[in-house]
Amino acid sequence: MNTRTIVDEDYFTIIDVIDNWWGDRQMSHLLPRLFFEHFQQTSFIVEDSNHHLAAFLIGFLSQTQRNVAYIHFVGVNPEFRNKGLARELYNLFFLTVHTLGCETVKCITSPTNEGSVSFHRAMGFSVALGTNYAGYGQDRIIFSKYLG
Ligand SMILES: CC(C)(COP(=O)(O)OP(=O)(O)OC[C@H]1O[C@@H](n2cnc3c(N)ncnc32)[C@H](O)[C@@H]1OP(=O)(O)O)[C@@H](O)C(=O)NCCC(=O)NCCS
């Protein structure tokens, strides 16, 4: 496996698989190309030895809260799940944003995404319910982790 920061062209590779990786949910519209153009320093991709996409993480630094970083998306190829790839990507992100001055990492997920909730708990995030966070009747789980 090889891990590197993302480049513009990774947009197409990820958009091709993302709905399938999320269990045929429509997700691609939540990951527009701007993330691949403007957040390269804090976004990562893992490829196997044949350069096939194994996992990715898209994250950025908050402009509003200078000591906060946000993970917008993490996805692991179903063939490579439960092997520690997401943990590895999160740890790389923690290290990168801590070096850039961030003390806290935040992210959200849908309350129905139980796998994501379990993963974030395993990664040491605190869990809170954001009522109407994404619109009326659209609750989200809000995760937060203090890096120190
Ligand atoms: C959630 C996801 C990113 C986890 O990736 P992964 O590489 O399989 O996770 P890891 O192997 O690094 O697991 C790290 C820890 O989380 C736990 N974990 C991961 N997925 C879990 C699940 N579905 N249920 C319960 N625990 C889970 C693991 O047991 C492990 O805990 P441990 O280290 O204490 O043993 C992956 O399942 C995925 O891509 N899901 C679809 C996309 C998604 O929902 N993304 C998150 C919302 S943006």
Side-chain angles (χ1 to χ4, degrees), residues 22 74-76 81-87 109 113 115-116 118-119 122:
W22 261 253
V74 62
V76 175
R81 286 189 188 160
N82 301 311
K83 296 178 190 300
L85 277 188
R87 178 180 282 282
T109 204
N113 194 341
S116 173
S118 299
F119 165 71

Side-chain angles (χ1 to χ4, degrees), residues 78-93:
E79 286 174 35
F80 294 109
R81 286 189 188 160
N82 301 311
K83 296 178 190 300
L85 277 188
R87 178 180 282 282
E88 214 173 282
L89 280 173
Y90 265 54
N91 284 336
L92 177 58
F93 183 80

